[in-house]
Amino acid sequence: MSEGLNHWTFVIASYAIGVGGTVLLVGWSWLEMRRAEARRDRSRER
């Protein structure tokens, strides 16, 4: 007895979530790094 479910929808969705999460994490980390560098530069000027 087989229902013939298509598993590719779930595979594609899981890859999209994984890649999307990775891109968001890299972008967030990059922005935080830039902010930290700006704070460091401002503290050196004083």
Side-chain angles (χ1 to χ4, degrees):
M1 186 186 270
S2 174
E3 296 181 18
L5 295 174
N6 186 2
H7 65 280
W8 284 109
T9 304
F10 300 104
V11 172
I12 292 169
S14 66
Y15 272 105
I17 290 170
V19 170
T22 302
V23 168
L24 284 173
L25 181 63
V26 168
W28 180 42
S29 299
W30 183 76
L31 287 173
E32 289 297 319
M33 179 189 64
R34 299 287 303 216
R35 289 180 187 143
E37 288 173 346
R39 282 193 309 265
R40 182 198 61 201
D41 292 341
R42 282 193 309 267
S43 70
R44 288 182 177 179
E45 291 174 356
R46 295 179 181 179

